[in-house]
Amino acid sequence: MGKTQKTLEEMDVMDDFLVNAAALDQELGEEFCRLILETLLQRQIGKIHITAQKTLQGILPEKRGIRMDV
């Protein structure tokens, strides 16, 4: 079973690609993340700093990699 690509209209905030693209945008990324955190936590959030999620490519490209930052 291979991966299927979604169109932009089919994506939502649960899609890693869409959220990462929005969060890492140089102009609006921090504001985007701050607004999401304020909405979820229902409180004001000050200035935040965004760091990209680091991933390692596996030996087999069809397999998923692992996170090493936990």
Side-chain angles (χ1 to χ4, degrees):
M1 183 177 281
K3 292 183 181 179
T4 59
Q5 290 186 347
K6 294 181 180 180
T7 64
L8 184 59
E9 291 79 17
E10 293 174 324
M11 290 185 182
D12 58 25
V13 294
M14 297 303 290
D15 290 293
D16 282 345
F17 171 79
L18 186 60
V19 172
N20 282 336
L24 297 177
D25 181 80
Q26 289 183 342
E27 294 180 25
L28 302 173
E30 290 181 0
E31 178 70 9
F32 169 77
C33 291
R34 189 182 61 73
L35 288 173
I36 288 191
L37 287 172
E38 285 183 349
T39 301
L40 293 173
L41 299 174
Q42 297 181 352
R43 61 185 296 195
Q44 293 293 319
I45 304 289
K47 182 156 177 64
I48 62 171
H49 176 73
I50 305 300
T51 303
Q53 177 178 324
K54 295 166 183 64
T55 57
L56 299 173
Q57 188 69 9
I59 295 173
L60 302 171
E62 67 274 4
K63 303 291 184 187
R64 295 188 68 112
I66 60 170
R67 286 186 59 179
M68 299 294 289
D69 62 340
V70 245

Coordinates of all heavy atoms in Angstrom, one line a residue:
M1 N 0.8 -1.2 0.0 CA 0.0 0.0 0.0 C 0.9 1.2 0.0 O 1.6 1.5 0.9 CB -0.9 0.0 1.2 CG -1.9 1.1 1.3 SD -3.0 1.0 2.7 CE -4.1 -0.2 2.1
G2 N 0.9 2.0 -1.1 CA 1.7 3.2 -1.2 C 1.1 4.4 -0.6 O -0.1 4.5 -0.3
K3 N 1.9 5.5 -0.5 CA 1.3 6.7 0.0 C 0.5 7.4 -1.2 O 0.9 7.3 -2.3 CB 2.5 7.7 0.3 CG 3.3 7.2 1.6 CD 4.3 8.2 1.9 CE 5.1 7.8 3.1 NZ 6.2 8.7 3.4
T4 N -0.6 8.0 -0.8 CA -1.3 8.8 -1.7 C -1.2 10.3 -1.4 O -1.2 10.7 -0.2 CB -2.8 8.4 -1.7 OG1 -3.3 8.6 -0.4 CG2 -3.0 6.9 -2.0
Q5 N -1.1 11.1 -2.4 CA -0.9 12.5 -2.2 C -2.3 13.2 -2.1 O -3.2 12.8 -2.9 CB -0.1 13.2 -3.3 CG 1.3 12.7 -3.3 CD 2.2 13.5 -4.3 OE1 1.6 14.1 -5.2 NE2 3.5 13.4 -4.2
K6 N -2.5 14.1 -1.2 CA -3.7 14.8 -1.0 C -3.6 16.2 -1.7 O -2.5 16.7 -1.9 CB -4.0 15.1 0.5 CG -4.3 13.9 1.3 CD -4.6 14.3 2.7 CE -4.9 13.1 3.6 NZ -5.1 13.5 5.0
T7 N -4.7 16.7 -2.2 CA -4.7 18.0 -2.7 C -4.7 19.0 -1.6 O -5.0 18.6 -0.4 CB -5.9 18.3 -3.6 OG1 -7.1 18.2 -2.8 CG2 -6.0 17.3 -4.8
L8 N -4.4 20.3 -1.8 CA -4.4 21.3 -0.8 C -5.8 21.4 -0.1 O -5.9 21.5 1.1 CB -4.0 22.6 -1.4 CG -3.8 23.8 -0.4 CD1 -2.8 23.4 0.7 CD2 -3.4 25.0 -1.1
E9 N -6.8 21.2 -0.9 CA -8.2 21.3 -0.4 C -8.5 20.2 0.6 O -9.3 20.3 1.5 CB -9.2 21.4 -1.5 CG -9.2 22.6 -2.3 CD -8.1 22.7 -3.4 OE1 -7.5 21.6 -3.7 OE2 -7.7 23.8 -3.8
E10 N -7.9 19.0 0.4 CA -8.1 17.9 1.3 C -7.3 17.9 2.6 O -7.6 17.2 3.5 CB -7.8 16.6 0.5 CG -8.6 16.3 -0.7 CD -8.2 15.1 -1.5 OE1 -6.9 14.9 -1.6 OE2 -9.0 14.4 -2.0
M11 N -6.3 18.8 2.7 CA -5.5 18.9 3.9 C -6.2 19.7 5.0 O -7.0 20.5 4.7 CB -4.1 19.5 3.5 CG -3.3 18.6 2.7 SD -1.7 19.4 2.5 CE -0.9 18.2 1.4
D12 N -5.8 19.4 6.2 CA -6.3 20.1 7.3 C -5.1 20.3 8.3 O -4.0 19.9 8.0 CB -7.5 19.5 8.0 CG -7.2 18.1 8.4 OD1 -6.1 17.7 8.7 OD2 -8.2 17.3 8.5
V13 N -5.3 20.8 9.5 CA -4.2 21.0 10.4 C -3.7 19.7 11.0 O -2.7 19.8 11.7 CB -4.6 22.0 11.6 CG1 -4.9 23.4 11.1 CG2 -5.8 21.5 12.3
M14 N -4.3 18.6 10.7 CA -3.8 17.3 11.2 C -2.7 16.8 10.3 O -2.0 15.8 10.6 CB -4.9 16.3 11.4 CG -5.9 16.7 12.4 SD -5.2 17.0 14.0 CE -4.8 15.3 14.5
D15 N -2.5 17.4 9.1 CA -1.5 16.9 8.1 C -0.2 17.6 8.5 O 0.0 18.8 8.5 CB -1.9 17.3 6.7 CG -3.1 16.5 6.2 OD1 -3.0 15.3 6.1 OD2 -4.2 17.1 6.1
D16 N 0.9 16.7 8.7 CA 2.2 17.2 9.0 C 2.7 18.2 8.0 O 3.3 19.2 8.3 CB 3.2 16.0 9.1 CG 3.1 15.3 10.4 OD1 2.4 15.8 11.3 OD2 3.6 14.2 10.5
F17 N 2.5 17.9 6.7 CA 3.1 18.8 5.7 C 2.5 20.2 5.8 O 3.2 21.2 5.8 CB 2.8 18.2 4.3 CG 3.1 19.2 3.2 CD1 4.5 19.4 2.8 CD2 2.2 19.9 2.6 CE1 4.8 20.3 1.8 CE2 2.5 20.9 1.6 CZ 3.8 21.1 1.2
L18 N 1.2 20.3 5.9 CA 0.5 21.6 5.9 C 0.9 22.4 7.2 O 1.2 23.6 7.1 CB -1.0 21.4 5.8 CG -1.8 22.7 5.7 CD1 -1.3 23.5 4.4 CD2 -3.2 22.4 5.6
V19 N 0.9 21.8 8.3 CA 1.2 22.5 9.5 C 2.7 22.9 9.5 O 3.1 24.0 9.9 CB 0.9 21.6 10.8 CG1 1.4 22.2 12.0 CG2 -0.6 21.4 10.9
N20 N 3.6 22.0 9.1 CA 5.0 22.3 9.0 C 5.3 23.5 8.1 O 6.1 24.4 8.4 CB 5.9 21.1 8.6 CG 6.1 20.2 9.8 OD1 6.0 20.5 10.9 ND2 6.4 18.9 9.5
A21 N 4.6 23.5 6.9 CA 4.8 24.5 6.0 C 4.3 25.9 6.5 O 5.0 26.9 6.4 CB 4.0 24.2 4.7
A22 N 3.2 25.9 7.2 CA 2.7 27.1 7.8 C 3.5 27.5 9.0 O 3.9 28.7 9.1 CB 1.2 26.9 8.3
A23 N 3.9 26.6 9.8 CA 4.7 27.0 11.0 C 6.1 27.5 10.7 O 6.6 28.4 11.4 CB 4.8 25.8 12.0
L24 N 6.7 27.0 9.6 CA 8.1 27.3 9.3 C 8.1 28.5 8.3 O 9.2 28.9 7.9 CB 8.8 26.1 8.7 CG 9.0 25.0 9.7 CD1 9.7 23.8 9.1 CD2 9.7 25.4 11.0
D25 N 7.0 29.1 8.0 CA 7.0 30.3 7.1 C 7.7 31.4 7.8 O 7.4 31.7 9.0 CB 5.5 30.7 6.8 CG 5.5 31.9 5.9 OD1 5.7 31.7 4.7 OD2 5.3 33.0 6.4
Q26 N 8.7 32.0 7.1 CA 9.5 33.0 7.8 C 8.7 34.2 8.2 O 9.0 34.8 9.3 CB 10.6 33.5 6.8 CG 11.7 32.4 6.6 CD 12.8 32.9 5.7 OE1 12.6 33.9 5.0 NE2 13.9 32.2 5.7
E27 N 7.7 34.6 7.5 CA 7.0 35.8 7.9 C 5.8 35.6 8.9 O 5.6 36.4 9.8 CB 6.4 36.5 6.6 CG 7.4 37.0 5.7 CD 6.8 37.6 4.4 OE1 5.6 38.1 4.5 OE2 7.5 37.7 3.4
L28 N 5.1 34.5 8.7 CA 3.9 34.2 9.5 C 4.0 33.0 10.5 O 3.0 32.8 11.2 CB 2.7 34.1 8.6 CG 2.5 35.3 7.7 CD1 1.4 34.9 6.7 CD2 2.1 36.5 8.5
G29 N 5.0 32.3 10.5 CA 5.1 31.0 11.2 C 4.9 31.2 12.7 O 4.1 30.4 13.3
E30 N 5.6 32.1 13.3 CA 5.5 32.3 14.8 C 4.1 32.7 15.1 O 3.5 32.3 16.1 CB 6.5 33.2 15.3 CG 7.9 32.6 15.2 CD 9.0 33.5 15.7 OE1 8.7 34.6 16.1 OE2 10.2 33.1 15.7
E31 N 3.5 33.6 14.3 CA 2.1 34.1 14.6 C 1.1 33.0 14.5 O 0.2 32.9 15.3 CB 1.8 35.3 13.7 CG 0.4 35.8 13.8 CD 0.2 36.6 15.1 OE1 1.2 36.9 15.8 OE2 -0.9 36.9 15.4
F32 N 1.3 32.2 13.4 CA 0.4 31.0 13.2 C 0.4 30.1 14.5 O -0.6 29.7 15.0 CB 0.9 30.3 12.0 CG 0.2 28.9 11.8 CD1 -1.1 28.8 11.3 CD2 0.9 27.7 12.0 CE1 -1.7 27.6 11.1 CE2 0.3 26.5 11.9 CZ -1.0 26.4 11.4
C33 N 1.6 29.7 14.9 CA 1.8 28.8 16.1 C 1.2 29.4 17.3 O 0.6 28.8 18.1 CB 3.2 28.4 16.2 SG 3.8 27.3 14.9
R34 N 1.5 30.7 17.5 CA 1.0 31.4 18.7 C -0.5 31.4 18.8 O -1.1 31.2 19.8 CB 1.6 32.9 18.8 CG 1.3 33.6 20.1 CD 1.8 35.0 20.1 NE 1.2 35.8 19.0 CZ -0.1 36.2 19.1 NH1 -0.9 36.0 20.1 NH2 -0.6 37.0 18.1
L35 N -1.1 31.7 17.6 CA -2.6 31.7 17.6 C -3.2 30.3 17.8 O -4.2 30.2 18.5 CB -3.1 32.2 16.2 CG -2.9 33.7 16.0 CD1 -3.3 34.1 14.5 CD2 -3.8 34.5 16.9
I36 N -2.5 29.3 17.3 CA -3.0 27.9 17.6 C -2.9 27.6 19.1 O -3.8 27.1 19.7 CB -2.3 26.9 16.7 CG1 -2.7 27.0 15.3 CG2 -2.5 25.5 17.3 CD1 -2.3 25.9 14.4
L37 N -1.7 27.9 19.7 CA -1.6 27.7 21.1 C -2.6 28.5 22.0 O -3.1 27.9 22.9 CB -0.1 28.0 21.5 CG 1.0 27.1 21.1 CD1 2.3 27.6 21.4 CD2 0.8 25.7 21.7
E38 N -2.8 29.7 21.6 CA -3.8 30.5 22.4 C -5.2 30.0 22.3 O -5.9 29.9 23.3 CB -3.8 32.0 21.8 CG -2.6 32.8 22.3 CD -2.6 34.2 21.8 OE1 -3.5 34.6 21.0 OE2 -1.8 35.0 22.3
T39 N -5.5 29.5 21.1 CA -6.8 28.9 20.9 C -7.0 27.6 21.7 O -8.0 27.4 22.4 CB -7.1 28.6 19.4 OG1 -7.0 29.8 18.7 CG2 -8.5 28.0 19.2
L40 N -6.0 26.7 21.7 CA -6.0 25.4 22.4 C -6.0 25.6 23.9 O -6.7 24.9 24.6 CB -4.9 24.5 21.9 CG -5.0 24.0 20.5 CD1 -3.7 23.3 20.1 CD2 -6.2 23.2 20.3
L41 N -5.1 26.5 24.3 CA -4.9 26.7 25.8 C -5.9 27.7 26.4 O -5.9 27.9 27.6 CB -3.5 27.1 26.1 CG -2.4 26.1 25.6 CD1 -1.0 26.7 25.8 CD2 -2.6 24.8 26.4
Q42 N -6.6 28.5 25.6 CA -7.5 29.5 26.0 C -6.9 30.5 26.9 O -7.4 30.8 28.0 CB -8.8 28.9 26.6 CG -9.5 28.0 25.6 CD -10.8 27.4 26.2 OE1 -11.0 27.5 27.4 NE2 -11.5 26.8 25.4
R43 N -5.7 31.0 26.5 CA -5.0 32.0 27.3 C -4.0 32.7 26.4 O -3.7 32.2 25.3 CB -4.2 31.4 28.5 CG -3.2 30.4 28.1 CD -2.5 29.8 29.3 NE -1.8 30.7 30.1 CZ -0.9 30.5 31.0 NH1 -0.6 29.2 31.2 NH2 -0.3 31.4 31.6
Q44 N -3.6 33.9 26.8 CA -2.7 34.7 26.0 C -1.3 34.1 26.1 O -0.8 33.7 27.1 CB -2.6 36.2 26.5 CG -3.9 36.9 26.4 CD -4.2 37.2 24.9 OE1 -3.3 37.5 24.1 NE2 -5.5 37.0 24.5
I45 N -0.6 34.1 24.9 CA 0.8 33.6 24.8 C 1.7 34.7 24.3 O 1.3 35.4 23.4 CB 0.9 32.4 23.8 CG1 -0.1 31.3 24.2 CG2 2.3 31.9 23.7 CD1 0.3 30.5 25.4
G46 N 2.8 34.9 24.9 CA 3.7 35.9 24.5 C 4.5 35.5 23.3 O 4.1 34.6 22.5
K47 N 5.7 36.0 23.1 CA 6.5 35.7 21.9 C 7.0 34.3 22.0 O 7.4 33.8 23.1 CB 7.7 36.7 21.9 CG 8.6 36.4 20.7 CD 9.4 37.7 20.4 CE 10.4 37.4 19.2 NZ 9.7 37.1 18.0
I48 N 7.0 33.6 20.9 CA 7.5 32.2 20.8 C 8.5 32.1 19.8 O 8.7 32.9 18.9 CB 6.3 31.2 20.6 CG1 5.7 31.5 19.2 CG2 5.3 31.2 21.7 CD1 4.7 30.4 18.8
H49 N 9.3 31.0 19.8 CA 10.3 30.7 18.8 C 10.0 29.3 18.2 O 9.8 28.4 19.0 CB 11.7 30.7 19.4 CG 12.8 30.4 18.5 ND1 13.2 31.2 17.5 CD2 13.5 29.2 18.4 CE1 14.2 30.6 16.8 NE2 14.4 29.4 17.3
I50 N 10.1 29.2 16.9 CA 9.8 27.9 16.3 C 11.0 27.2 15.8 O 11.9 27.9 15.2 CB 8.9 28.2 15.0 CG1 7.6 28.9 15.4 CG2 8.5 26.8 14.3 CD1 6.8 28.3 16.4
T51 N 11.2 25.9 16.1 CA 12.3 25.1 15.6 C 11.7 24.0 14.8 O 10.8 23.3 15.2 CB 13.1 24.5 16.8 OG1 13.5 25.6 17.6 CG2 14.3 23.7 16.3
A52 N 12.3 23.8 13.6 CA 11.8 22.8 12.7 C 12.0 21.4 13.3 O 13.0 21.1 14.0 CB 12.6 22.9 11.4
Q53 N 11.0 20.5 13.0 CA 11.1 19.1 13.4 C 12.2 18.5 12.6 O 12.3 18.6 11.4 CB 9.8 18.4 13.1 CG 9.9 16.9 13.5 CD 8.5 16.3 13.3 OE1 7.5 16.9 13.5 NE2 8.5 15.1 12.8
K54 N 13.1 17.8 13.3 CA 14.2 17.1 12.6 C 13.9 15.6 12.4 O 13.4 14.9 13.3 CB 15.5 17.2 13.5 CG 16.0 18.6 13.7 CD 17.0 18.8 14.8 CE 17.4 20.2 15.0 NZ 16.4 21.1 15.4
T55 N 14.1 15.2 11.2 CA 13.8 13.8 10.8 C 15.0 13.2 10.1 O 15.8 13.9 9.5 CB 12.6 13.7 9.9 OG1 12.9 14.4 8.7 CG2 11.3 14.2 10.5
L56 N 15.2 11.9 10.3 CA 16.2 11.2 9.6 C 15.6 10.2 8.6 O 14.7 9.5 8.9 CB 17.1 10.3 10.6 CG 17.8 11.1 11.7 CD1 18.3 10.1 12.7 CD2 18.8 12.0 11.1
Q57 N 16.2 10.2 7.4 CA 15.7 9.3 6.3 C 16.2 7.9 6.6 O 17.4 7.7 6.9 CB 16.2 9.8 5.0 CG 15.6 9.1 3.8 CD 14.1 9.5 3.6 OE1 13.6 10.3 4.3 NE2 13.5 8.8 2.8
G58 N 15.3 7.0 6.5 CA 15.7 5.6 6.8 C 16.5 5.0 5.6 O 16.6 5.6 4.5
I59 N 17.0 3.8 5.8 CA 17.7 3.1 4.8 C 16.7 2.8 3.6 O 17.1 2.9 2.4 CB 18.3 1.8 5.3 CG1 19.4 2.2 6.3 CG2 19.0 1.0 4.2 CD1 20.0 1.0 7.1
L60 N 15.5 2.4 4.0 CA 14.5 2.0 3.0 C 13.6 3.2 2.8 O 12.8 3.5 3.7 CB 13.8 0.7 3.4 CG 14.6 -0.5 3.6 CD1 13.8 -1.6 4.2 CD2 15.3 -0.9 2.3
P61 N 13.6 3.9 1.7 CA 12.7 5.1 1.5 C 11.2 4.9 1.7 O 10.5 5.8 2.1 CB 13.1 5.6 0.1 CG 14.0 4.7 -0.5 CD 14.4 3.6 0.5
E62 N 10.8 3.7 1.4 CA 9.3 3.4 1.6 C 8.9 3.2 3.0 O 7.7 3.2 3.3 CB 8.9 2.2 0.7 CG 9.4 0.9 1.2 CD 10.8 0.5 0.6 OE1 11.4 1.4 -0.1 OE2 11.3 -0.6 0.9
K63 N 9.9 3.1 3.9 CA 9.6 3.0 5.3 C 9.7 4.3 6.0 O 10.4 5.2 5.5 CB 10.6 2.0 6.0 CG 10.6 0.6 5.4 CD 9.3 -0.1 5.7 CE 9.4 -1.5 5.1 NZ 8.2 -2.3 5.2
R64 N 9.0 4.5 7.1 CA 9.1 5.8 7.8 C 10.3 5.8 8.7 O 10.8 4.8 9.2 CB 7.9 5.9 8.7 CG 6.6 6.0 7.9 CD 5.4 6.3 8.8 NE 5.6 7.7 9.3 CZ 4.8 8.7 9.0 NH1 3.8 8.5 8.1 NH2 5.0 9.9 9.5
G65 N 10.9 7.1 8.9 CA 12.0 7.3 9.8 C 11.6 7.3 11.2 O 10.4 7.1 11.5
I66 N 12.5 7.6 12.1 CA 12.2 7.7 13.5 C 12.6 9.1 14.0 O 13.4 9.8 13.4 CB 13.0 6.6 14.3 CG1 14.5 6.8 14.2 CG2 12.5 5.2 13.9 CD1 15.3 5.9 15.1
R67 N 12.0 9.5 15.1 CA 12.4 10.8 15.7 C 13.4 10.5 16.8 O 13.3 9.6 17.6 CB 11.1 11.4 16.4 CG 10.2 12.0 15.4 CD 9.1 12.7 16.1 NE 9.6 13.8 16.9 CZ 8.8 14.6 17.6 NH1 7.5 14.4 17.5 NH2 9.3 15.5 18.3
M68 N 14.5 11.3 16.8 CA 15.6 11.1 17.7 C 15.6 12.2 18.8 O 16.5 12.2 19.6 CB 16.9 11.2 16.9 CG 17.0 10.1 15.9 SD 17.1 8.4 16.6 CE 18.7 8.5 17.3
D69 N 14.6 13.1 18.8 CA 14.6 14.2 19.8 C 13.7 14.0 21.0 O 13.4 14.9 21.7 CB 14.2 15.5 19.1 CG 12.8 15.5 18.5 OD1 12.3 14.4 18.3 OD2 12.3 16.6 18.2
V70 N 13.2 12.8 21.2 CA 12.3 12.5 22.3 C 13.1 11.9 23.4 O 14.1 11.3 23.3 CB 11.1 11.7 22.0 CG1 9.9 12.4 22.1 CG2 11.2 11.0 20.6

